């Protein structure tokens, strides 16, 4: 073996990076990530355009799922953070930006802006204590927990509106918001299981995008639609009246293997043929035998995920069978769900095919917006298709994502019909509660973690400031609150702080009117350090937060309880894990 071969066979050494979070490049990457997700957060978020470097379609979004999926994250600690956000989205489909912003803010304050040189292990311990206090407060406080009457359609519509109205990429008017909210609720009620276990309704709803149309033209269609190719005429159903049945159902057979004779299952068979006979003829003859069995069983519709041989197609049409090939995985799954059929995956299961058939009540050609579709119907099935319209093609993907998020939130409300204030009010409630807890802190708690009361309050102050930063994120104006209601108000101008402008003004989430008997407290400009280090005797007069006459109306902004609480826990726990990272090992 030559010296060159020996050198080439030796693997390159693993790279060990010490003090990962102290590295300037890592801190720059964290700051870039934090600013990116932070600018997408909240009702006044900024949109992002995403395009591959080589060109192609431009995506317009502020959705955490689409944004994080498109980011080329290389730094291991950021990939850990993105994984945590992705897992949260997998469970709840909402709240991803809240997790990303809170976790990145905690990391930035403890790593990039650690002017007091507090040990990171102290920050982790205090963050965990703050999280426990938040969990207890949210689970017991009436100000945080707002019950939703799921039998009241107005309250359900209010929850859906609060989701849609905070997505600027959809470009909805107030009229569009009402229309799409009604469609989402209608689709949810259509697909909601009437018996058995509670399950996701999203698998029963399919979406079709229609650009260059007014959003008001969006609608719900019972059954499943498949667009016809442009070069096929509208009248392509085989002759006869077999495709509308009021007595016996129409039988459906589905194949997820090729019916063109090129499947490996047939090609692996050794064939001996005589002169004038080709292997393709033998294979095609076998396929005709299978098709004849379908005809004998009374099959009216044959769907194939791959390709059907042209001669077989012609034979099926001649015998009054509708044959559709090149169905996508999504389309064939929709027909499976609608008809109850199971895909036939082998050409050697002729004896068992009868058990795999499904049924439909009607098959027709329907036209929507100058496009023709196969329309499969079955009245006993909850499956439906939502046609989403928008004048801007770039917004259709975001509209579809919002509809899926709303469906997921509605399902969560069936399990736990509780919401929390949104638009920053939830974070202000938590921060004001934590301030009161810290001012009356038990010294034994500080001793139990081995740090002084002063160090504990410094670390707690950072946690509170993170919550306040998220509350005022992308807000246009001056964020203010008061000590009794602890909600968030945005004053447009500094001069209005000492005027009557705020009288009878609703808070950001729309649930509270400002209590004029209370003083205005500016968020961000107050001396939080001085407040936290005030003597206990000077804060006895403070009242517990209250917000009376909480009613869900159409202009409220709320978040689902389980989604928000899980997001809070995931963000803090993920931040603590990353803060404990000392070395990063890159294995070649």
């Amino acid at each position: 073996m030559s010296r060159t071969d020996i050198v080439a066979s030796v693997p390159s050494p693993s790279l060990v990076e010490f003090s990962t979070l102290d590295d300037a490049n890592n801190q720059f990457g964290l700051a870039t990530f934090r600013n990116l997700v932070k600018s997408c957060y909240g009702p006044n978020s900024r949109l992002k355009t995403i395009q591959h470097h080589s060109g192609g379609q431009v995506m317009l979004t502020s959705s955490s799922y689409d944004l994080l999926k498109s980011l080329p994250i290389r730094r291991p600690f950021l990939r850990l953070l993105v994984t945590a956000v992705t897992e949260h989205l997998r469970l709840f489909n909402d709240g991803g930006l809240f997790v990303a912003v809170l976790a990145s803010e905690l990391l930035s304050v403890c790593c990039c802006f650690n002017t007091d040189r507090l040990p990171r292990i102290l920050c982790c311990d205090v963050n965990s204590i703050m999280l426990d206090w938040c969990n207890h407060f949210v689970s017991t406080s009436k100000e945080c927990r707002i019950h939703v009457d799921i039998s009241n359609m107005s309250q359900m519509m209010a929850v859906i509106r609060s989701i849609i109205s905070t997505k600027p990429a959809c470009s909805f008017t107030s009229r569009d918001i009402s229309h799409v909210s009604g469609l989402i609720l209608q689709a949810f009620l259509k697909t909601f299981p009437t018996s058995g276990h509670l399950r996701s309704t999203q698998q029963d709803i399919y979406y079709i995008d229609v650009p260059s149309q007014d959003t008001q033209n969006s609608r719900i269609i019972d059954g499943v639609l498949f667009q016809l190719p442009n070069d096929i005429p509208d009248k392509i159903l085989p002759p006869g009246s077999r495709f509308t049945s009021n007595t016996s159902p129409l039988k459906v057979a589905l194949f997820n293997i090729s019916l063109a004779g090129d499947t490996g299952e047939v090609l692996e068979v050794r064939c001996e043929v005589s002169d004038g006979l080709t292997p393709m003829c033998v294979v095609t003859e076998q396929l005709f035998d299978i098709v004849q069995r379908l005809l004998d069983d009374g099959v009216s519709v044959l769907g194939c995920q791959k390709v059907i041989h042209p001669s077989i197609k012609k034979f099926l049409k001649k015998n009054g069978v509708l044959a559709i090939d090149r169905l996508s995985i999504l389309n064939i799954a929709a027909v499976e769900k609608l008809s109850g059929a199971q895909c036939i995956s082998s050409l050697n299961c002729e004896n068992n095919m009868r058990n795999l058939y499904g049924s439909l009540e009607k098959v027709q050609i329907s036209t929507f917006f100058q496009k023709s579709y196969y329309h499969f119907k079955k009245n006993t099935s909850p499956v439906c298709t939502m046609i989403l319209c928008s004048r801007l093609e770039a917004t259709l993907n975001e509209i579809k994502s919002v509809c899926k998020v709303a469906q997921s939130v509605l399902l969560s409300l069936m399990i736990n019909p509780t919401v929390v204030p949104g638009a920053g009010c939830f974070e202000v409630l938590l921060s004001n509660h934590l301030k009161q807890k810290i001012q009356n802190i038990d010294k034994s708690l500080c001793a139990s973690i081995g740090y002084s009361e002063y160090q504990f309050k410094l670390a707690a102050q950072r946690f509170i400031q993170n919550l306040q930063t998220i509350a005022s994120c992308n807000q246009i104006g001056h964020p203010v609150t008061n000590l009794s209601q602890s909600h968030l108000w945005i004053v447009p101008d500094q001069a209005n702080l000492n005027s009557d402008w705020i009288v009878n003004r609703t808070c950001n989430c729309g649930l509270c009117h400002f209590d004029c008997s209370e003083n205005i407290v500016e968020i961000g400009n107050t001396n939080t350090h001085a407040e936290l280090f005030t003597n206990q005797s000077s804060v006895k007069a403070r009242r517990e937060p209250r917000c009376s006459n909480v009613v869900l109306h159409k202009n409220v902004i709320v978040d689902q309880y389980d989604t928000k609480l899980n997001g809070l826990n995931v963000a803090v726990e993920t931040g603590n894990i990353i803060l404990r990272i000392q070395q990063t090992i890159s294995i070649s």
Side-chain angles (χ1 to χ4, degrees):
M1 181 181 293
S2 66
R3 179 181 176 81
T4 306
D5 294 334
I6 293 176
V7 173
S9 62
V10 176
S12 58
S14 300
L15 300 177
V16 180
E17 183 183 62
F18 294 91
S19 301
T20 301
L21 297 179
D22 293 328
D23 182 75
N25 292 328
N26 287 337
Q27 290 186 359
F28 177 78
L30 174 61
T32 302
F33 177 83
R34 176 177 61 91
N35 293 333
L36 185 64
V37 295
K38 190 176 176 181
S39 64
C40 293
Y41 184 73
N44 300 316
S45 61
R46 307 297 188 264
L47 301 181
K48 300 292 178 287
T49 55
I50 301 173
Q51 186 182 32
H52 194 270
H53 64 85
S54 61
Q57 184 179 1
V58 177
M59 178 186 295
L60 185 69
T61 186
S62 62
S63 165
S64 58
Y65 178 79
D66 293 329
L67 185 65
L68 298 180
K69 182 178 64 174
S70 306
L71 289 178
I73 306 280
R74 294 186 181 89
R75 303 183 189 278
F77 74 97
L78 285 180
R79 290 173 63 182
L80 178 62
L81 174 55
V82 170
T83 301
V85 176
T86 304
E87 285 301 305
H88 170 80
L89 289 173
R90 185 180 62 84
L91 292 175
F92 294 96
N93 281 348
D94 194 19
L97 285 175
F98 173 72
V99 177
V101 174
L102 180 54
S104 58
E105 283 288 340
L106 287 172
L107 293 174
S108 296
V109 169
C110 295
C111 299
C112 306
F113 310 113
N114 190 1
T115 56
D116 297 307
R117 300 293 180 182
L118 290 177
R120 286 177 188 161
I121 190 66
L122 167 64
C123 296
C124 293
D125 291 339
V126 173
N127 288 346
S128 298
I129 293 172
M130 297 291 106
L131 180 61
D132 290 339
W133 287 351
C134 287
N135 285 332
H136 180 265
F137 175 68
V138 174
S139 61
T140 58
S141 171
K142 294 181 179 179
E143 285 76 25
C144 276
R145 297 170 57 90
I146 304 166
H147 179 74
V148 180
D149 183 3
I150 58 176
S151 65
N152 187 326
M153 294 300 102
S154 297
Q155 292 193 18
M156 298 290 279
M157 284 283 287
V159 174
I160 300 173
R161 282 194 192 96
S162 74
I163 299 170
I164 297 177
S165 61
T166 57
K167 307 297 182 183
C170 295
S171 300
F172 283 153
T173 64
S174 57
R175 187 163 167 257
D176 294 337
I177 291 174
S178 298
H179 180 68
V180 175
S181 298
L183 293 180
I184 292 172
L185 183 57
Q186 181 183 348
F188 178 79
L189 295 176
K190 275 180 174 291
T191 57
F192 188 76
T194 56
S195 60
H197 297 290
L198 192 63
R199 57 174 175 78
S200 174
T201 60
Q202 291 194 33
Q203 57 187 325
D204 294 335
I205 304 174
Y206 297 89
Y207 300 89
I208 291 179
D209 304 337
V210 181
S212 305
Q213 292 289 334
D214 189 1
T215 305
Q216 295 294 315
N217 293 328
S218 301
R219 64 192 70 177
I220 293 176
I221 305 296
D222 290 330
V224 176
L225 298 176
F226 308 119
Q227 186 175 345
L228 296 176
N230 295 330
D231 57 345
I232 296 182
D234 289 352
K235 298 180 180 180
I236 61 170
L237 287 180
S241 58
R242 298 182 61 186
F243 296 94
T244 302
S245 176
N246 296 324
T247 55
S248 59
L250 307 173
K251 286 187 179 180
V252 180
L254 300 177
F255 288 83
N256 57 8
I257 57 174
S258 174
L259 295 180
D262 57 348
T263 175
E265 183 180 9
V266 176
L267 292 177
E268 290 176 0
V269 179
R270 180 175 295 178
C271 302
E272 292 186 10
V273 296
S274 58
D275 294 339
L277 195 63
T278 63
M280 180 56 71
C281 294
V282 176
V283 172
T284 305
E285 185 177 346
Q286 288 182 326
L287 292 175
F288 270 103
D289 291 340
I290 293 175
V291 170
Q292 187 60 53
R293 178 64 179 270
L294 297 176
L295 294 176
D296 295 341
D297 291 341
V299 171
S300 300
V301 180
L302 188 151
C304 183
Q305 185 178 332
K306 298 185 179 179
V307 182
I308 301 177
H309 197 281
S311 60
I312 294 178
K313 257 188 177 181
K314 186 176 180 181
F315 176 75
L316 288 169
K317 184 174 182 179
K318 183 178 179 181
N319 287 272
V321 176
L322 175 62
I324 309 173
D325 61 353
R326 295 183 175 89
L327 289 173
S328 67
I329 295 178
L330 182 63
N331 287 341
I332 205 160
V335 181
E336 273 190 293
K337 190 69 180 176
L338 177 69
S339 65
Q342 299 180 48
C343 280
I344 300 172
S345 303
S346 173
L347 299 178
N348 298 318
C349 61
E350 297 181 46
N351 297 328
N352 298 324
M353 285 198 303
R354 290 184 178 180
N355 300 326
L356 304 178
Y357 297 153
S359 62
L360 296 172
E361 294 179 2
K362 188 175 184 180
V363 177
Q364 65 184 40
I365 302 296
S366 299
T367 302
F368 300 98
F369 309 109
Q370 293 80 47
K371 292 183 180 180
S372 297
Y373 299 86
Y374 289 116
H375 189 181
F376 291 0
K377 289 185 177 182
K378 187 176 182 180
N379 294 334
T380 57
S381 174
V383 175
C384 64
T385 300
M386 183 179 288
I387 301 178
L388 298 175
C389 302
S390 178
R391 297 195 183 278
L392 301 176
E393 185 176 0
T395 65
L396 283 171
N397 185 65
E398 190 80 354
I399 294 173
K400 187 191 300 184
S401 298
V402 168
C403 290
K404 291 180 179 179
V405 168
Q407 294 288 339
S408 177
V409 170
L410 290 177
L411 184 64
S412 298
L413 288 178
M414 298 298 106
I415 302 172
N416 182 10
T418 308
V419 293
V420 297
C425 291
F426 176 76
E427 290 80 7
V428 174
L429 277 165
L430 291 182
S431 64
N432 284 0
H433 171 71
L434 293 177
K435 284 182 185 179
Q436 296 186 30
K437 290 283 291 184
I438 294 169
Q439 287 166 342
N440 298 278
I441 189 173
D442 187 356
K443 293 183 179 181
S444 62
L445 178 61
C446 301
S448 66
I449 60 175
Y451 291 95
S452 67
E453 182 180 349
Y454 180 81
Q455 289 176 309
F456 184 95
K457 288 187 175 182
L458 279 179
Q461 175 188 350
R462 293 178 178 180
F463 190 93
I464 293 172
Q465 287 176 339
N466 287 333
L467 292 175
Q468 292 178 342
T469 299
I470 295 175
S472 58
C473 185
N474 297 320
Q475 302 289 357
I476 303 173
H478 298 272
V480 300
T481 185
N482 58 39
L483 297 179
S484 66
Q485 294 168 302
S486 295
H487 276 239
L488 175 67
W489 283 263
I490 301 298
V491 179
D493 191 270
Q494 186 78 21
N496 295 119
L497 290 176
N498 298 320
S499 67
D500 293 334
W501 180 90
I502 204 169
V503 175
N504 294 327
R505 295 281 178 172
T506 57
C507 63
N508 250 28
C509 71
L511 291 172
C512 294
H513 287 80
F514 192 85
D515 185 356
C516 298
S517 64
E518 290 289 332
N519 294 327
I520 295 177
V521 179
E522 241 187 306
I523 295 176
N525 292 336
T526 57
N527 191 349
T528 307
H529 184 278
E531 286 186 9
L532 294 181
F533 290 87
T534 305
N535 293 329
Q536 294 183 16
S537 58
S538 64
V539 295
K540 290 180 179 179
R542 291 189 177 182
R543 293 177 290 174
E544 289 296 319
R546 61 177 177 82
C547 189
S548 58
N549 301 324
V550 174
V551 178
L552 291 182
H553 53 85
K554 69 176 184 178
N555 293 323
V556 300
I557 298 178
V558 293
D559 296 309
Q560 206 277 328
Y561 173 83
D562 293 321
T563 303
K564 197 74 172 183
L565 192 58
N566 186 77
L568 177 66
N569 282 266
V570 169
V572 177
E573 291 171 3
T574 303
N576 283 350
I577 288 174
I578 297 175
L579 284 174
R580 294 174 184 270
I581 295 176
Q582 182 63 27
Q583 291 92 17
T584 299
I585 304 173
S586 300
I587 302 175
S588 301

